[in-house]
Amino acid sequence: MSEYFNSLLFAPPQIAPGGSAIKVRCPDRLMECFESLGDGCEFGNAQRFCGIEPLGLLRFASLPYPAFIKLLDSRFSLLPTGPAGFRLLPHRQDREWWVAIDGCGMYYHTGQRIGAAGERNLRQNEAIKIQFLKRKLLEELAEPGVIFVRRDPERSPDEIRHAYRQLNEYGRQALLWISRAAAPEMEGEIEVLEPGLVRGFIGDTGQNAAPRPAALAVWLTLAEKTLDVLKPSVAAALRDMASLRTAALNDPVWRKSELAVTLTSNAVPALPRHHHIWKHTLRVDTDWDRCEVLSFGVSGLVPEALYTVSAHVWLPAGFEGEACLVFPGVNAVKDWPAEPSNTGCWQRMATSIRLPDGGDLHFPSLCVKGAKGAQLYSTAWRFDHGAVPGDCF
Amino acid sequence: MREEEILRAVAEIMARLLERPDFSVTMQTKISSIAGWDSMRQVMFVLAIEEKFAIRLRNPEIGQLHSAGDAVRIIGARLG
């Protein structure tokens, strides 16, 4: 056993220096219920830091209120269909191409680095992408399911209601409108302006700012409260799902979850210095993308840095599962999954990840593919800087 | 169409979009783990699937495209 492996084995669970855990409840599933209608990137970034990347026409778009209304009025016909309608703007600070659509007062991130692609190709691709995203948004408006969210902090209630009426021309919609909190105690609060329309308050509405952990926490709070009001059945389902996970609050140690994760001390032998053993029970049949049984958030991380999440797992004899690993969320560099046939002993698993540009938050999960009722145990969770050396496993 | 055939077609699409002919794809290949797979490629992936299999994906299906296995499952269900 290598020295590094020993250090993993005997070190207490910990997170990277400077990091802190925040309370979350199925943040990815929660944020999947919403789609941004602009203005700006903050909500789109909040979704990204919750580990989801939904495709959305206005997710990373700047679209001032008058242009937003005009675009709705036009049923999005102002969006160009060919490459000529897309004006490329070099954003030198981010070294990224932005696109301006002059006819409708909108500009947005392309996510394409300057120099990485030819300008002609980029315009052609943007024309294809925008037409596809327009189609997708029109379908969402025609068959309401998501809650739309628009951050436009200085609008009056009348202006908000006007925009909501315009949206309802497409079908009955649910909308969360983000306004500026006039006082600190308003932050994270919501008010119902009319059925289907909720106004939420947030303090830091900095244009294009990557969400700081505090701002992200407010976004999650607003999303939870809004879901409770506008989609109570979905919120209830989410609460049920949340019971499959545990959340940490200012504590790096994984906490007990009421239903799916229980603390056990004698079912399997504890590792030296690791007396907290989590028992996980799969409450539903799981597949690769619906298989997290445990998740927590770690904030205060370094964007674009490499981190590794690791843990020991014990698969009992007769384990009815096909796979078990640390689910990275996004940007996995390498993973060392558990061996499902290796039962009745502790085995270490790990996944190294690289945070996205601007990302300082991550939600690693324990990911198990198996049948309902399958049980397993974990202990010695760590969140470390750097990659796991290849010779450790 | 059998699952293996769908997976092969999906793998070809992914390799073409990544411009990596040798890109290896299994049912477990997660899109979020593929270096260089951005929103543009995801859009192109959807459009290429629609063209190849002559189907139009619905929004919930598009939102579920997290892995090659998802694509195979969704396409398989649509093709009956």
mmCIF file with all atom_site columns, all heavy atoms in Angstrom, chain A residues 360-375:
data_model
loop_
_atom_site.group_PDB
_atom_site.id
_atom_site.type_symbol
_atom_site.label_atom_id
_atom_site.label_alt_id
_atom_site.label_comp_id
_atom_site.label_asym_id
_atom_site.label_entity_id
_atom_site.label_seq_id
_atom_site.pdbx_PDB_ins_code
_atom_site.Cartn_x
_atom_site.Cartn_y
_atom_site.Cartn_z
_atom_site.occupancy
_atom_site.B_iso_or_equiv
_atom_site.pdbx_formal_charge
_atom_site.auth_seq_id
_atom_site.auth_comp_id
_atom_site.auth_asym_id
_atom_site.auth_atom_id
_atom_site.pdbx_PDB_model_num
ATOM 1   N N   . ASP A 1 360 ? -16.403 28.042 -8.424  1.00 0.00 ? 360 ASP A N   1
ATOM 2   C CA  . ASP A 1 360 ? -15.760 27.888 -7.123  1.00 0.00 ? 360 ASP A CA  1
ATOM 3   C C   . ASP A 1 360 ? -16.602 27.009 -6.201  1.00 0.00 ? 360 ASP A C   1
ATOM 4   O O   . ASP A 1 360 ? -16.497 27.069 -5.002  1.00 0.00 ? 360 ASP A O   1
ATOM 5   C CB  . ASP A 1 360 ? -15.483 29.246 -6.473  1.00 0.00 ? 360 ASP A CB  1
ATOM 6   C CG  . ASP A 1 360 ? -16.763 30.043 -6.222  1.00 0.00 ? 360 ASP A CG  1
ATOM 7   O OD1 . ASP A 1 360 ? -17.847 29.555 -6.598  1.00 0.00 ? 360 ASP A OD1 1
ATOM 8   O OD2 . ASP A 1 360 ? -16.676 31.139 -5.653  1.00 0.00 ? 360 ASP A OD2 1
ATOM 9   N N   . LEU A 1 361 ? -17.471 26.215 -6.810  1.00 0.00 ? 361 LEU A N   1
ATOM 10  C CA  . LEU A 1 361 ? -18.394 25.383 -6.045  1.00 0.00 ? 361 LEU A CA  1
ATOM 11  C C   . LEU A 1 361 ? -18.524 24.038 -6.739  1.00 0.00 ? 361 LEU A C   1
ATOM 12  O O   . LEU A 1 361 ? -18.506 23.954 -7.956  1.00 0.00 ? 361 LEU A O   1
ATOM 13  C CB  . LEU A 1 361 ? -19.754 26.079 -5.995  1.00 0.00 ? 361 LEU A CB  1
ATOM 14  C CG  . LEU A 1 361 ? -20.897 25.386 -5.275  1.00 0.00 ? 361 LEU A CG  1
ATOM 15  C CD1 . LEU A 1 361 ? -20.607 25.332 -3.789  1.00 0.00 ? 361 LEU A CD1 1
ATOM 16  C CD2 . LEU A 1 361 ? -22.189 26.150 -5.532  1.00 0.00 ? 361 LEU A CD2 1
ATOM 17  N N   . HIS A 1 362 ? -18.651 22.979 -5.935  1.00 0.00 ? 362 HIS A N   1
ATOM 18  C CA  . HIS A 1 362 ? -18.811 21.667 -6.558  1.00 0.00 ? 362 HIS A CA  1
ATOM 19  C C   . HIS A 1 362 ? -19.716 20.792 -5.702  1.00 0.00 ? 362 HIS A C   1
ATOM 20  O O   . HIS A 1 362 ? -19.754 20.921 -4.487  1.00 0.00 ? 362 HIS A O   1
ATOM 21  C CB  . HIS A 1 362 ? -17.445 20.984 -6.729  1.00 0.00 ? 362 HIS A CB  1
ATOM 22  C CG  . HIS A 1 362 ? -17.529 19.746 -7.567  1.00 0.00 ? 362 HIS A CG  1
ATOM 23  N ND1 . HIS A 1 362 ? -17.840 19.793 -8.906  1.00 0.00 ? 362 HIS A ND1 1
ATOM 24  C CD2 . HIS A 1 362 ? -17.373 18.445 -7.262  1.00 0.00 ? 362 HIS A CD2 1
ATOM 25  C CE1 . HIS A 1 362 ? -17.876 18.566 -9.390  1.00 0.00 ? 362 HIS A CE1 1
ATOM 26  N NE2 . HIS A 1 362 ? -17.592 17.722 -8.407  1.00 0.00 ? 362 HIS A NE2 1
ATOM 27  N N   . PHE A 1 363 ? -20.440 19.906 -6.392  1.00 0.00 ? 363 PHE A N   1
ATOM 28  C CA  . PHE A 1 363 ? -21.374 19.013 -5.718  1.00 0.00 ? 363 PHE A CA  1
ATOM 29  C C   . PHE A 1 363 ? -21.044 17.563 -6.054  1.00 0.00 ? 363 PHE A C   1
ATOM 30  O O   . PHE A 1 363 ? -21.671 16.974 -6.923  1.00 0.00 ? 363 PHE A O   1
ATOM 31  C CB  . PHE A 1 363 ? -22.821 19.317 -6.148  1.00 0.00 ? 363 PHE A CB  1
ATOM 32  C CG  . PHE A 1 363 ? -23.310 20.655 -5.708  1.00 0.00 ? 363 PHE A CG  1
ATOM 33  C CD1 . PHE A 1 363 ? -23.191 21.753 -6.539  1.00 0.00 ? 363 PHE A CD1 1
ATOM 34  C CD2 . PHE A 1 363 ? -23.883 20.822 -4.467  1.00 0.00 ? 363 PHE A CD2 1
ATOM 35  C CE1 . PHE A 1 363 ? -23.638 23.000 -6.137  1.00 0.00 ? 363 PHE A CE1 1
ATOM 36  C CE2 . PHE A 1 363 ? -24.335 22.061 -4.057  1.00 0.00 ? 363 PHE A CE2 1
ATOM 37  C CZ  . PHE A 1 363 ? -24.207 23.151 -4.888  1.00 0.00 ? 363 PHE A CZ  1
ATOM 38  N N   . PRO A 1 364 ? -20.064 16.986 -5.411  1.00 0.00 ? 364 PRO A N   1
ATOM 39  C CA  . PRO A 1 364 ? -19.781 15.580 -5.675  1.00 0.00 ? 364 PRO A CA  1
ATOM 40  C C   . PRO A 1 364 ? -20.841 14.683 -5.042  1.00 0.00 ? 364 PRO A C   1
ATOM 41  O O   . PRO A 1 364 ? -21.473 15.051 -4.055  1.00 0.00 ? 364 PRO A O   1
ATOM 42  C CB  . PRO A 1 364 ? -18.423 15.368 -5.017  1.00 0.00 ? 364 PRO A CB  1
ATOM 43  C CG  . PRO A 1 364 ? -18.346 16.402 -3.957  1.00 0.00 ? 364 PRO A CG  1
ATOM 44  C CD  . PRO A 1 364 ? -19.167 17.572 -4.435  1.00 0.00 ? 364 PRO A CD  1
ATOM 45  N N   . SER A 1 365 ? -21.024 13.524 -5.637  1.00 0.00 ? 365 SER A N   1
ATOM 46  C CA  . SER A 1 365 ? -22.031 12.586 -5.149  1.00 0.00 ? 365 SER A CA  1
ATOM 47  C C   . SER A 1 365 ? -21.481 11.178 -5.146  1.00 0.00 ? 365 SER A C   1
ATOM 48  O O   . SER A 1 365 ? -20.570 10.849 -5.902  1.00 0.00 ? 365 SER A O   1
ATOM 49  C CB  . SER A 1 365 ? -23.268 12.600 -6.050  1.00 0.00 ? 365 SER A CB  1
ATOM 50  O OG  . SER A 1 365 ? -23.854 13.853 -6.090  1.00 0.00 ? 365 SER A OG  1
ATOM 51  N N   . LEU A 1 366 ? -22.089 10.351 -4.331  1.00 0.00 ? 366 LEU A N   1
ATOM 52  C CA  . LEU A 1 366 ? -21.876 8.921  -4.443  1.00 0.00 ? 366 LEU A CA  1
ATOM 53  C C   . LEU A 1 366 ? -22.866 8.415  -5.478  1.00 0.00 ? 366 LEU A C   1
ATOM 54  O O   . LEU A 1 366 ? -24.048 8.718  -5.417  1.00 0.00 ? 366 LEU A O   1
ATOM 55  C CB  . LEU A 1 366 ? -22.128 8.240  -3.099  1.00 0.00 ? 366 LEU A CB  1
ATOM 56  C CG  . LEU A 1 366 ? -22.115 6.711  -3.096  1.00 0.00 ? 366 LEU A CG  1
ATOM 57  C CD1 . LEU A 1 366 ? -20.777 6.182  -3.540  1.00 0.00 ? 366 LEU A CD1 1
ATOM 58  C CD2 . LEU A 1 366 ? -22.460 6.188  -1.714  1.00 0.00 ? 366 LEU A CD2 1
ATOM 59  N N   . CYS A 1 367 ? -22.373 7.682  -6.433  1.00 0.00 ? 367 CYS A N   1
ATOM 60  C CA  . CYS A 1 367 ? -23.190 7.278  -7.567  1.00 0.00 ? 367 CYS A CA  1
ATOM 61  C C   . CYS A 1 367 ? -23.220 5.761  -7.649  1.00 0.00 ? 367 CYS A C   1
ATOM 62  O O   . CYS A 1 367 ? -22.167 5.126  -7.709  1.00 0.00 ? 367 CYS A O   1
ATOM 63  C CB  . CYS A 1 367 ? -22.569 7.894  -8.813  1.00 0.00 ? 367 CYS A CB  1
ATOM 64  S SG  . CYS A 1 367 ? -23.353 7.481  -10.342 1.00 0.00 ? 367 CYS A SG  1
ATOM 65  N N   . VAL A 1 368 ? -24.394 5.204  -7.609  1.00 0.00 ? 368 VAL A N   1
ATOM 66  C CA  . VAL A 1 368 ? -24.525 3.751  -7.607  1.00 0.00 ? 368 VAL A CA  1
ATOM 67  C C   . VAL A 1 368 ? -25.527 3.335  -8.670  1.00 0.00 ? 368 VAL A C   1
ATOM 68  O O   . VAL A 1 368 ? -26.598 3.934  -8.773  1.00 0.00 ? 368 VAL A O   1
ATOM 69  C CB  . VAL A 1 368 ? -25.001 3.234  -6.236  1.00 0.00 ? 368 VAL A CB  1
ATOM 70  C CG1 . VAL A 1 368 ? -25.090 1.714  -6.236  1.00 0.00 ? 368 VAL A CG1 1
ATOM 71  C CG2 . VAL A 1 368 ? -24.091 3.720  -5.134  1.00 0.00 ? 368 VAL A CG2 1
ATOM 72  N N   . LYS A 1 369 ? -25.157 2.355  -9.436  1.00 0.00 ? 369 LYS A N   1
ATOM 73  C CA  . LYS A 1 369 ? -26.101 1.796  -10.397 1.00 0.00 ? 369 LYS A CA  1
ATOM 74  C C   . LYS A 1 369 ? -26.550 0.452  -9.854  1.00 0.00 ? 369 LYS A C   1
ATOM 75  O O   . LYS A 1 369 ? -25.731 -0.459 -9.700  1.00 0.00 ? 369 LYS A O   1
ATOM 76  C CB  . LYS A 1 369 ? -25.439 1.624  -11.762 1.00 0.00 ? 369 LYS A CB  1
ATOM 77  C CG  . LYS A 1 369 ? -26.390 1.108  -12.833 1.00 0.00 ? 369 LYS A CG  1
ATOM 78  C CD  . LYS A 1 369 ? -25.661 0.982  -14.164 1.00 0.00 ? 369 LYS A CD  1
ATOM 79  C CE  . LYS A 1 369 ? -26.637 0.544  -15.257 1.00 0.00 ? 369 LYS A CE  1
ATOM 80  N NZ  . LYS A 1 369 ? -25.939 0.379  -16.548 1.00 0.00 ? 369 LYS A NZ  1
ATOM 81  N N   . GLY A 1 370 ? -27.818 0.338  -9.545  1.00 0.00 ? 370 GLY A N   1
ATOM 82  C CA  . GLY A 1 370 ? -28.266 -0.905 -8.964  1.00 0.00 ? 370 GLY A CA  1
ATOM 83  C C   . GLY A 1 370 ? -29.760 -0.955 -8.783  1.00 0.00 ? 370 GLY A C   1
ATOM 84  O O   . GLY A 1 370 ? -30.494 -0.047 -9.184  1.00 0.00 ? 370 GLY A O   1
ATOM 85  N N   . ALA A 1 371 ? -30.178 -2.026 -8.171  1.00 0.00 ? 371 ALA A N   1
ATOM 86  C CA  . ALA A 1 371 ? -31.614 -2.254 -8.007  1.00 0.00 ? 371 ALA A CA  1
ATOM 87  C C   . ALA A 1 371 ? -32.091 -1.669 -6.684  1.00 0.00 ? 371 ALA A C   1
ATOM 88  O O   . ALA A 1 371 ? -31.329 -1.525 -5.723  1.00 0.00 ? 371 ALA A O   1
ATOM 89  C CB  . ALA A 1 371 ? -31.911 -3.744 -8.056  1.00 0.00 ? 371 ALA A CB  1
ATOM 90  N N   . LYS A 1 372 ? -33.358 -1.380 -6.641  1.00 0.00 ? 372 LYS A N   1
ATOM 91  C CA  . LYS A 1 372 ? -33.979 -0.872 -5.424  1.00 0.00 ? 372 LYS A CA  1
ATOM 92  C C   . LYS A 1 372 ? -33.723 -1.839 -4.272  1.00 0.00 ? 372 LYS A C   1
ATOM 93  O O   . LYS A 1 372 ? -33.851 -3.054 -4.425  1.00 0.00 ? 372 LYS A O   1
ATOM 94  C CB  . LYS A 1 372 ? -35.482 -0.732 -5.661  1.00 0.00 ? 372 LYS A CB  1
ATOM 95  C CG  . LYS A 1 372 ? -36.271 -0.231 -4.474  1.00 0.00 ? 372 LYS A CG  1
ATOM 96  C CD  . LYS A 1 372 ? -37.743 -0.135 -4.828  1.00 0.00 ? 372 LYS A CD  1
ATOM 97  C CE  . LYS A 1 372 ? -38.565 0.318  -3.623  1.00 0.00 ? 372 LYS A CE  1
ATOM 98  N NZ  . LYS A 1 372 ? -39.993 0.400  -3.960  1.00 0.00 ? 372 LYS A NZ  1
ATOM 99  N N   . GLY A 1 373 ? -33.340 -1.290 -3.157  1.00 0.00 ? 373 GLY A N   1
ATOM 100 C CA  . GLY A 1 373 ? -33.091 -2.113 -1.988  1.00 0.00 ? 373 GLY A CA  1
ATOM 101 C C   . GLY A 1 373 ? -31.628 -2.472 -1.776  1.00 0.00 ? 373 GLY A C   1
ATOM 102 O O   . GLY A 1 373 ? -31.245 -2.903 -0.692  1.00 0.00 ? 373 GLY A O   1
ATOM 103 N N   . ALA A 1 374 ? -30.810 -2.287 -2.821  1.00 0.00 ? 374 ALA A N   1
ATOM 104 C CA  . ALA A 1 374 ? -29.381 -2.604 -2.665  1.00 0.00 ? 374 ALA A CA  1
ATOM 105 C C   . ALA A 1 374 ? -28.779 -1.711 -1.592  1.00 0.00 ? 374 ALA A C   1
ATOM 106 O O   . ALA A 1 374 ? -29.130 -0.534 -1.469  1.00 0.00 ? 374 ALA A O   1
ATOM 107 C CB  . ALA A 1 374 ? -28.657 -2.417 -3.992  1.00 0.00 ? 374 ALA A CB  1
ATOM 108 N N   . GLN A 1 375 ? -27.868 -2.293 -0.803  1.00 0.00 ? 375 GLN A N   1
ATOM 109 C CA  . GLN A 1 375 ? -27.276 -1.534 0.280   1.00 0.00 ? 375 GLN A CA  1
ATOM 110 C C   . GLN A 1 375 ? -25.756 -1.536 0.162   1.00 0.00 ? 375 GLN A C   1
ATOM 111 O O   . GLN A 1 375 ? -25.160 -2.474 -0.367  1.00 0.00 ? 375 GLN A O   1
ATOM 112 C CB  . GLN A 1 375 ? -27.679 -2.144 1.631   1.00 0.00 ? 375 GLN A CB  1
ATOM 113 C CG  . GLN A 1 375 ? -29.180 -2.001 1.906   1.00 0.00 ? 375 GLN A CG  1
ATOM 114 C CD  . GLN A 1 375 ? -29.545 -2.495 3.281   1.00 0.00 ? 375 GLN A CD  1
ATOM 115 O OE1 . GLN A 1 375 ? -28.878 -3.341 3.851   1.00 0.00 ? 375 GLN A OE1 1
ATOM 116 N NE2 . GLN A 1 375 ? -30.625 -1.948 3.823   1.00 0.00 ? 375 GLN A NE2 1
#
